[in-house]
Amino acid sequence: MNETPLVNPEVVSMVGDWKGYVEAKMGFRNHWYPVRFSKELDEGAIEVIELLGEKLLIKRIEGKVYAMRDRCLHRGVPLSRKPDCYTKDTITCWYHGYTYRFQTGELVNILAVPDSRLIKRRKIVTYPVQEAKGLIFVFLGDEDEVHDLKKDVPPGFLDDDLMVLGKHRIVNSNWRLGAENGFDGLHIFIHKDTTLRHYRTFNFPIGHTPLPGAVQLVEDADGPKGVTDDFAQHTPVWDGVIDGEVVVSGPRSTAVKGTSAAAGTSIWLPGVLKVENFPVGGLIQFEWYVPLDGERHLYVQTIGKPCSTDGERRTFANEFETTWKPHGLDGFNADDIWAREVTEPFYADDYGWVDEMLCEPDETILEWRRLASRHGRGIQQKSDLR
Amino acid sequence: MNETPLVNPEVVSMVGDWKGYVEAKMGFRNHWYPVRFSKELDEGAIEVIELLGEKLLIKRIEGKVYAMRDRCLHRGVPLSRKPDCYTKDTITCWYHGYTYRFQTGELVNILAVPDSRLIKRRKIVTYPVQEAKGLIFVFLGDEDEVHDLKKDVPPGFLDDDLMVLGKHRIVNSNWRLGAENGFDGLHIFIHKDTTLRHYRTFNFPIGHTPLPGAVQLVEDADGPKGVTDDFAQHTPVWDGVIDGEVVVSGPRSTAVKGTSAAAGTSIWLPGVLKVENFPVGGLIQFEWYVPLDGERHLYVQTIGKPCSTDGERRTFANEFETTWKPHGLDGFNADDIWAREVTEPFYADDYGWVDEMLCEPDETILEWRRLASRHGRGIQQKSDLR
Amino acid sequence: MNETPLVNPEVVSMVGDWKGYVEAKMGFRNHWYPVRFSKELDEGAIEVIELLGEKLLIKRIEGKVYAMRDRCLHRGVPLSRKPDCYTKDTITCWYHGYTYRFQTGELVNILAVPDSRLIKRRKIVTYPVQEAKGLIFVFLGDEDEVHDLKKDVPPGFLDDDLMVLGKHRIVNSNWRLGAENGFDGLHIFIHKDTTLRHYRTFNFPIGHTPLPGAVQLVEDADGPKGVTDDFAQHTPVWDGVIDGEVVVSGPRSTAVKGTSAAAGTSIWLPGVLKVENFPVGGLIQFEWYVPLDGERHLYVQTIGKPCSTDGERRTFANEFETTWKPHGLDGFNADDIWAREVTEPFYADDYGWVDEMLCEPDETILEWRRLASRHGRGIQQKSDLR
């Protein structure tokens, strides 16, 4: 063995019933991940994406999107460095003319060696692609593991009347620090100065502890696997006290004194959060922490709203652009992005997983780590990148 | 074992009676190190410092300085990234409200989880701090190893009448290359063009070899441990000769032909040099090579002068600013800083310690390596950083 | 063992009869390599060069060029960082005055320690240097392995009447990707848009497959070792076809329909290509892929022409500057440089050597790998750099 292992084996050996989670530094293989919004990929356009350490090309051909490894079989060069698409459904390697069909990955010709026996006998890796709710999902995994998309998205996300809008950006932290930051009930402490506080129903404690029964596991065979945390069954903390003095308090709306805007959160494999009644009642935030490699994730942020008329849809689209995107996805979540990136160095050499000192409410995060270890369908390894 | 060892074990096995010195790439633990000048840290101010690979926060509270590990116990984030000091003697982690008392390191509260059992039962690492001669010293080590500061500074440094002035800067080399550059009797070859030559009594050979008896070990149980080198017992070399021709000569004062300005040097644990009668007679240069990590050191340069009246102190302060700082600490020592940084790559992979080809006068450096191996109170390891 | 091996042993174990080639990541030791053009090094000038991972100083003294390791024996510093040449045939280390004679490497004095027993008993590494055809060649290897330069250059290169002109530049890829790009008969696919197509006799297929007998091994005991590939015995491919449609064609001269400009290529140890009748009939391109380290090579590009009169030489020099340098060495070969650099990441961790999927005509490249493994006179190792 000569390659440095992806994850320090000493650390893996030191954790208990969530070893698989520690090993999944580059993500869980054999799951569906959103990679772009549908509207970002026009007919005929090619885009290079990263997913679980792999470089892929996606292309839309006659409306449908296809995904193929962005590396020529011959000499391993990226096809994307000079994409020669002589026909609409093939791409030809700029170096020696190896030509692949997007739909199947088949080597259809080698332009410089048209009589090679390799032709039609070799395939480049391709992955299934599906579009839903305006997102392009790629199944990053093995052919015999493909399953229904609905098993990899939170309940409700595919509902017919749900309109989904969003954005994405790259975050310089491991995907798990994204997932844990999102699901972590305590991190609301960092949001105490959010401009969302100026919205009527926005009330936010500085902390809150789950009571027995707040946290539930969802492990039905036919559905997504996740952990839910019901904020109605939490004890909120409104004031922070040091040496007997109140030094900081959670934001409450100046208009209406009410409960926290969010009704609860849930985290689902392969790494997607659902926040109910957020940023305000009636909306749902869904966000993915898509592993790009071991050090970065694509933060796919969406907000969904049930809409039954075109008018409702126009109103939501307008609200999204003027309010929820700037104050929620950009402003509020900027604190989260920053927190994940600052946390990254402690976990980068894996020792953070054993050196951390979790407190009682972090038990919800441990439930997520255990669930992910039980139900993750495969651990992406360095050898999968070759 | 999965971590790369700090020091190549093959190299350690190849050196004889100074293995500990080779292992101390990040410095000797359980010693006092200067980290800032007292005047650089105002009441209530916080500063982030590095010391032997650790990141620390220092803060002055009611006049006294405290030092605490700059990493929250919970998720390992640096407290300093957004220092929330709600009370004068505590710091609260910006992420989840873990709050620590500077004086003790005690976890006094978790603002978001005020009923956690961890509160008052956990401590963040703190280190003793002491101020002397205008410098802030931190004891980087274990509680049961704390000892008197006087054991870690050169003789005379704490003398009542000694006035000490100085500066510091970061040098991109291991601390040992700093120490050896300073104590090395031969490296004066690089100083032959110094502007200090224009000072009356400044005479400097291009080399000098210690006669028997010049080098002495100081290993008293109650005092600092060091090696002294008396230049009065050296044979100076004034001219460099190649193929029978004099090609270069050491600088001699144009005003007074005398001996070398320096009367001798000594090097002390944990890495501090004393140069007597330097830059000119009547002054003493003390300089520390404080390990920041394995690749950089803080070069703390000071000049001391015995002063008994305010007038003498004013005169020295004025001379320091106009002469000894610009021509000595800035100008003369710039050559040394440059030399250490250029030497670093040869020793960076540790093989330099066995591939070097020392010459006879370098025996003084070997004495230092052996003494440091015998008396260093602990070797900072990667595991100490966790 | 603590050092990371230069080449992944798992990969070495997986290749068959060309293990030595895979191991020679930093090049083959004990061979002659061109490092600069003669006209680039004036009398008395010093230049720092890199070769197979080693840093060398070359200097011209009374017309002759000498090469010496650029690292002082004492503390390992580069002599070149501040070259003190007090006499024309010595260099003195700026740090402590170790002084070496360029012709022999002998430590002739230590200016700061003129009575050291090391003097005249130690040597710094030197390497033989020879000039030919306007190039400075260095023999990078051991004293008892020195052999005639003619064994390390392609046949014809040293011919009396051959005039050679050229240039060099650094390429960010391993030297083997340079050699294989040059010798690879199929990579002409990337040159289909070259501006050389505007020259009368320039015709270039998009691919061509060697017929039996095209490829020959040259392994005479007294001469250079290489593989030759005769393009007259190739089947050219003029058109690239996908799904029955011609999508791309090779460039043919608009003036004269003829054969490919090149008559054939050959590759020689230690990594030098000869292209006959190139860029046009009557010229020969010789190019070297000189390993600088494991990641970069010096691309030494030359064009030779037999000239018997001063007039012919002037004409060729003029043509070289106005045509062959800008359109050939700069323009045409820019595609090659780009291709090597883009290929580098796939081979950087060595797995490319087993993950690549070669096609039938790549057999010529395999012949080269096997020949190099059989006849390479030594494999440069990390320990050779110490």
Side-chain angles (χ1 to χ4, degrees):
Chain A
M1 281 304 299
N2 300 289
E3 274 196 306
T4 314
L6 176 63
V7 178
N8 187 320
E10 184 189 350
V11 171
V12 174
S13 75
M14 287 168 77
V15 299
D17 47 2
W18 41 281
K19 289 187 196 306
Y21 187 75
V22 170
E23 291 175 318
K25 190 171 196 164
M26 285 198 299
F28 286 107
R29 195 173 167 81
N30 295 318
H31 285 280
W32 289 97
Y33 292 95
V35 298
R36 289 290 183 277
F37 288 95
S38 293
K39 67 180 179 192
E40 294 179 288
L41 193 71
D42 292 335
E43 174 66 25
I46 283 186
E47 180 102 0
V48 183
I49 63 166
E50 293 176 87
L51 195 55
L52 280 66
E54 303 188 26
K55 303 263 171 58
L56 307 179
L57 278 176
I58 55 172
K59 185 178 186 183
R60 188 183 295 280
I61 302 169
E62 292 181 357
K64 192 159 162 36
V65 182
Y66 299 92
M68 172 191 282
R69 188 73 75 85
D70 181 23
R71 196 174 65 202
C72 183
L73 294 172
H74 184 214
R75 288 296 200 137
V77 298
L79 302 167
S80 62
R81 281 301 296 270
K82 183 168 170 290
D84 278 342
C85 288
Y86 291 116
T87 76
K88 76 172 185 251
D89 61 359
T90 63
I91 186 163
T92 296
C93 182
W94 49 266
Y95 204 166
H96 303 87
Y98 277 52
T99 301
Y100 305 94
R101 194 174 312 280
F102 263 102
Q103 292 88 338
T104 58
E106 187 186 58
L107 177 65
V108 294
N109 200 356
I110 301 175
L111 298 194
V113 196
D115 55 353
S116 171
R117 278 171 308 139
L118 299 176
I119 294 166
K120 306 207 170 168
R121 296 189 184 185
R122 293 290 182 275
K123 283 189 180 193
I124 203 167
V125 169
T126 58
Y127 292 113
V129 179
Q130 190 170 334
E131 292 182 88
K133 294 293 169 190
L135 280 164
I136 301 171
F137 287 85
V138 172
F139 180 81
L140 197 295
D142 308 313
E143 228 169 312
D144 54 354
E145 291 282 347
V146 185
H147 53 263
D148 206 282
L149 172 63
K150 77 174 186 200
K151 288 185 163 190
D152 280 351
V153 297
F157 178 72
L158 297 175
D159 282 0
D160 281 346
D161 65 344
L162 194 77
M163 177 171 171
V164 175
L165 296 169
K167 60 171 296 197
H168 58 74
R169 57 162 285 186
I170 292 174
V171 178
N172 292 307
S173 90
N174 186 269
W175 71 276
R176 293 166 299 186
L177 302 182
E180 300 194 356
N181 164 269
F183 189 50
D184 169 5
L186 304 179
H187 88 277
I188 53 176
F189 186 72
I190 67 174
H191 293 301
K192 53 193 178 300
D193 300 318
T194 175
T195 55
L196 279 178
R197 67 189 301 169
H198 303 307
Y199 289 85
R200 285 176 51 86
T201 59
F202 196 87
N203 291 280
F204 231 47
I206 62 165
H208 50 150
T209 310
L211 299 170
V215 177
Q216 301 288 339
L217 301 181
V218 182
E219 302 184 88
D220 305 329
D222 289 337
K225 310 293 187 293
V227 185
T228 65
D229 188 7
D230 177 9
F231 288 2
Q233 302 183 56
H234 276 229
T235 305
V237 179
W238 289 102
D239 298 317
V241 176
I242 299 176
D243 293 339
E245 304 263 350
V246 173
V247 296
V248 60
S249 298
R252 305 190 193 199
S253 159
T254 51
V256 177
K257 302 295 177 206
T259 58
S260 161
T265 59
S266 53
I267 182 90
W268 306 86
L269 274 174
V272 41
L273 187 79
K274 178 182 182 181
V275 190
E276 285 172 270
N277 288 325
F278 195 82
V280 288
L283 303 185
I284 312 173
Q285 185 157 333
F286 297 93
E287 55 180 46
W288 278 261
Y289 319 98
V290 181
L292 296 177
D293 52 30
E295 289 80 40
R296 298 169 307 135
H297 65 276
L298 187 73
Y299 184 28
V300 179
Q301 307 167 269
T302 69
I303 293 176
K305 182 176 193 176
C307 297
S308 45
T309 68
D310 281 353
E312 282 177 6
R313 278 185 281 272
R314 274 195 302 273
T315 302
F316 175 50
N318 186 55
E319 261 182 24
F320 177 81
E321 287 300 327
T322 58
T323 304
W324 309 126
K325 187 162 170 284
H327 291 286
L329 306 190
D330 290 340
F332 186 91
N333 290 134
D335 292 332
D336 296 308
I337 290 168
W338 179 82
R340 296 173 211 166
E341 295 191 344
V342 175
T343 312
E344 172 67 15
F346 186 64
Y347 290 86
D349 67 358
D350 309 314
Y351 281 107
W353 301 111
V354 290
D355 289 342
E356 62 185 12
M357 189 183 286
L358 299 184
C359 57
E360 294 85 345
D362 289 327
E363 179 63 24
T364 55
I365 288 174
L366 289 171
E367 289 288 8
W368 152 244
R369 294 179 186 176
R370 289 181 203 117
L371 176 127
S373 299
R374 281 196 301 277
H375 295 289
R377 291 167 173 269
I379 287 161
Q380 183 81 340
Q381 305 285 5
K382 278 189 182 183
S383 55
D384 289 314
L385 312 189
R386 290 175 45 198
Chain B
M1 283 304 299
N2 301 287
E3 274 195 306
T4 315
L6 177 63
V7 178
N8 188 320
E10 185 190 350
V11 172
V12 174
S13 74
M14 288 168 75
V15 298
D17 47 3
W18 41 281
K19 289 187 196 306
Y21 187 75
V22 170
E23 291 174 319
K25 189 171 195 163
M26 285 198 299
F28 286 107
R29 195 173 166 79
N30 295 318
H31 285 280
W32 289 96
Y33 291 95
V35 298
R36 289 290 183 277
F37 287 95
S38 293
K39 67 179 178 192
E40 294 178 289
L41 193 72
D42 292 335
E43 174 66 25
I46 283 186
E47 181 103 358
V48 182
I49 63 166
E50 293 176 86
L51 194 56
L52 280 67
E54 303 186 28
K55 303 264 171 56
L56 307 178
L57 278 175
I58 55 173
K59 185 177 185 184
R60 188 183 295 280
I61 303 170
E62 292 181 356
K64 192 161 160 35
V65 182
Y66 300 92
M68 170 191 284
R69 187 73 75 85
D70 181 24
R71 194 174 67 203
C72 183
L73 294 172
H74 184 214
R75 288 296 200 138
V77 298
L79 302 166
S80 63
R81 281 302 297 272
K82 183 169 169 291
D84 278 342
C85 288
Y86 290 117
T87 75
K88 75 169 185 255
D89 62 0
T90 62
I91 186 164
T92 297
C93 182
W94 50 266
Y95 203 166
H96 303 88
Y98 278 51
T99 301
Y100 305 93
R101 195 174 311 280
F102 264 103
Q103 291 89 337
T104 59
E106 186 185 59
L107 177 66
V108 294
N109 199 355
I110 302 175
L111 299 194
V113 196
D115 56 353
S116 172
R117 278 170 309 139
L118 299 176
I119 294 167
K120 307 205 171 169
R121 296 189 183 184
R122 293 290 183 275
K123 283 190 180 191
I124 204 167
V125 170
T126 58
Y127 292 113
V129 178
Q130 191 171 335
E131 293 181 88
K133 294 293 169 190
L135 281 164
I136 301 170
F137 287 86
V138 171
F139 180 81
L140 198 294
D142 307 313
E143 227 169 314
D144 54 355
E145 291 281 348
V146 185
H147 53 263
D148 206 284
L149 171 63
K150 76 173 186 203
K151 288 185 162 191
D152 280 351
V153 297
F157 177 73
L158 297 175
D159 283 0
D160 281 345
D161 65 344
L162 194 77
M163 177 170 171
V164 175
L165 296 169
K167 59 170 297 198
H168 58 74
R169 58 161 286 187
I170 291 174
V171 178
N172 292 307
S173 91
N174 186 269
W175 71 276
R176 293 165 299 185
L177 301 183
E180 300 194 355
N181 164 269
F183 189 50
D184 169 4
L186 304 180
H187 87 278
I188 53 173
F189 185 72
I190 67 174
H191 292 302
K192 53 193 176 303
D193 300 318
T194 176
T195 55
L196 279 178
R197 68 190 300 169
H198 303 305
Y199 290 84
R200 284 176 51 89
T201 59
F202 195 86
N203 290 280
F204 231 48
I206 62 166
H208 49 150
T209 309
L211 299 171
V215 178
Q216 300 289 338
L217 301 180
V218 182
E219 302 183 86
D220 305 331
D222 288 338
K225 309 294 187 292
V227 184
T228 66
D229 189 7
D230 177 9
F231 288 2
Q233 302 182 58
H234 274 230
T235 306
V237 179
W238 288 102
D239 297 317
V241 176
I242 299 176
D243 293 339
E245 303 263 350
V246 172
V247 296
V248 59
S249 299
R252 306 191 191 199
S253 161
T254 51
V256 178
K257 300 297 175 204
T259 58
S260 162
T265 59
S266 53
I267 181 90
W268 306 86
L269 273 174
V272 41
L273 187 79
K274 179 182 183 180
V275 189
E276 286 172 271
N277 287 327
F278 195 81
V280 286
L283 303 185
I284 312 172
Q285 184 157 334
F286 297 93
E287 56 181 45
W288 277 260
Y289 319 99
V290 181
L292 297 176
D293 52 30
E295 289 79 41
R296 299 170 305 135
H297 65 277
L298 188 73
Y299 184 29
V300 179
Q301 306 167 269
T302 69
I303 292 175
K305 183 175 193 174
C307 296
S308 46
T309 67
D310 280 352
E312 281 177 6
R313 278 185 281 272
R314 272 195 304 273
T315 301
F316 175 51
N318 186 55
E319 261 183 22
F320 177 81
E321 286 301 326
T322 59
T323 304
W324 310 124
K325 186 161 170 286
H327 291 285
L329 306 190
D330 289 341
F332 187 90
N333 290 133
D335 292 332
D336 295 308
I337 290 169
W338 180 82
R340 296 173 210 166
E341 295 190 344
V342 175
T343 312
E344 172 66 15
F346 186 65
Y347 289 87
D349 68 357
D350 309 315
Y351 281 108
W353 302 111
V354 290
D355 289 342
E356 63 185 12
M357 189 184 286
L358 300 183
C359 57
E360 294 85 347
D362 288 327
E363 179 62 25
T364 56
I365 289 173
L366 289 170
E367 290 288 8
W368 152 243
R369 293 179 186 175
R370 289 182 204 116
L371 175 128
S373 299
R374 282 196 300 278
H375 295 289
R377 291 167 172 269
I379 288 161
Q380 182 80 339
Q381 306 285 5
K382 278 189 182 183
S383 55
D384 290 314
L385 312 190
R386 289 177 46 198
Chain C
M1 281 304 298
N2 300 289
E3 273 195 305
T4 314
L6 176 63
V7 178
N8 187 319
E10 184 189 351
V11 172
V12 174
S13 74
M14 288 167 76
V15 298
D17 47 3
W18 40 280
K19 289 187 195 305
Y21 187 76
V22 170
E23 292 175 318
K25 190 171 196 163
M26 285 198 299
F28 286 107
R29 195 173 167 81
N30 295 319
H31 285 280
W32 289 96
Y33 291 94
V35 298
R36 289 289 184 278
F37 287 95
S38 293
K39 66 178 179 191
E40 294 179 289
L41 193 72
D42 292 335
E43 174 66 27
I46 283 186
E47 181 102 359
V48 183
I49 62 165
E50 293 176 86
L51 194 55
L52 281 67
E54 303 187 28
K55 303 264 171 56
L56 307 178
L57 278 174
I58 55 173
K59 185 177 185 183
R60 188 183 294 281
I61 303 170
E62 293 181 355
K64 194 161 159 35
V65 182
Y66 299 93
M68 172 191 281
R69 188 73 75 83
D70 181 23
R71 196 174 66 202
C72 182
L73 294 172
H74 184 214
R75 288 297 199 137
V77 298
L79 302 167
S80 63
R81 282 301 298 271
K82 184 169 170 291
D84 278 341
C85 288
Y86 290 116
T87 75
K88 75 171 184 255
D89 61 359
T90 63
I91 185 164
T92 296
C93 182
W94 49 266
Y95 204 167
H96 303 87
Y98 277 52
T99 300
Y100 304 94
R101 195 175 310 281
F102 263 101
Q103 292 89 336
T104 59
E106 187 186 59
L107 177 65
V108 294
N109 199 356
I110 300 175
L111 298 194
V113 196
D115 55 352
S116 171
R117 279 171 308 139
L118 299 177
I119 294 166
K120 305 204 172 173
R121 297 189 182 184
R122 293 290 182 277
K123 283 190 179 191
I124 204 167
V125 169
T126 58
Y127 292 112
V129 179
Q130 189 172 335
E131 292 181 89
K133 293 294 167 189
L135 280 164
I136 301 171
F137 287 85
V138 172
F139 180 81
L140 197 294
D142 307 313
E143 227 168 313
D144 54 354
E145 290 281 348
V146 185
H147 53 264
D148 206 283
L149 172 62
K150 76 172 185 201
K151 288 185 164 190
D152 280 351
V153 298
F157 177 73
L158 297 175
D159 283 0
D160 281 346
D161 65 344
L162 194 77
M163 176 169 173
V164 175
L165 296 169
K167 60 171 296 197
H168 58 73
R169 57 162 284 188
I170 291 175
V171 178
N172 292 307
S173 91
N174 186 269
W175 71 276
R176 294 165 298 186
L177 302 183
E180 300 194 356
N181 164 269
F183 189 50
D184 169 5
L186 303 180
H187 88 279
I188 54 174
F189 185 72
I190 67 174
H191 293 301
K192 53 193 177 301
D193 301 319
T194 174
T195 55
L196 279 178
R197 68 189 301 168
H198 304 307
Y199 290 85
R200 285 176 52 86
T201 59
F202 195 86
N203 291 280
F204 230 48
I206 62 167
H208 50 150
T209 310
L211 298 171
V215 177
Q216 300 288 339
L217 300 179
V218 181
E219 303 184 86
D220 305 329
D222 289 338
K225 309 293 187 293
V227 184
T228 65
D229 188 7
D230 178 9
F231 288 3
Q233 302 183 56
H234 275 229
T235 306
V237 179
W238 288 101
D239 298 316
V241 176
I242 300 176
D243 293 340
E245 303 263 350
V246 173
V247 296
V248 60
S249 298
R252 305 189 193 200
S253 161
T254 51
V256 177
K257 299 297 175 206
T259 59
S260 161
T265 60
S266 54
I267 182 89
W268 306 87
L269 273 174
V272 42
L273 187 79
K274 178 182 184 182
V275 190
E276 287 172 89
N277 287 327
F278 195 82
V280 287
L283 303 184
I284 311 173
Q285 184 157 334
F286 297 93
E287 56 180 46
W288 278 261
Y289 318 98
V290 181
L292 297 177
D293 52 30
E295 289 80 40
R296 299 171 305 136
H297 66 276
L298 187 73
Y299 184 28
V300 178
Q301 306 167 268
T302 69
I303 292 175
K305 184 176 191 174
C307 296
S308 45
T309 68
D310 280 353
E312 282 177 5
R313 278 186 280 272
R314 273 194 304 272
T315 301
F316 175 51
N318 186 54
E319 260 182 25
F320 176 81
E321 286 301 327
T322 59
T323 305
W324 309 126
K325 185 160 171 285
H327 292 285
L329 305 190
D330 290 341
F332 187 90
N333 290 133
D335 292 331
D336 296 306
I337 290 169
W338 180 81
R340 297 173 211 165
E341 295 191 345
V342 175
T343 312
E344 172 67 15
F346 186 64
Y347 289 87
D349 68 357
D350 308 316
Y351 281 107
W353 301 111
V354 290
D355 289 342
E356 62 186 9
M357 188 183 288
L358 300 184
C359 56
E360 294 84 347
D362 288 327
E363 179 62 25
T364 56
I365 289 173
L366 289 171
E367 290 288 8
W368 152 244
R369 293 179 185 175
R370 289 182 203 116
L371 176 129
S373 299
R374 282 196 301 277
H375 295 289
R377 290 167 174 269
I379 287 162
Q380 182 81 338
Q381 305 286 6
K382 278 190 182 182
S383 55
D384 289 314
L385 312 189
R386 290 176 45 197

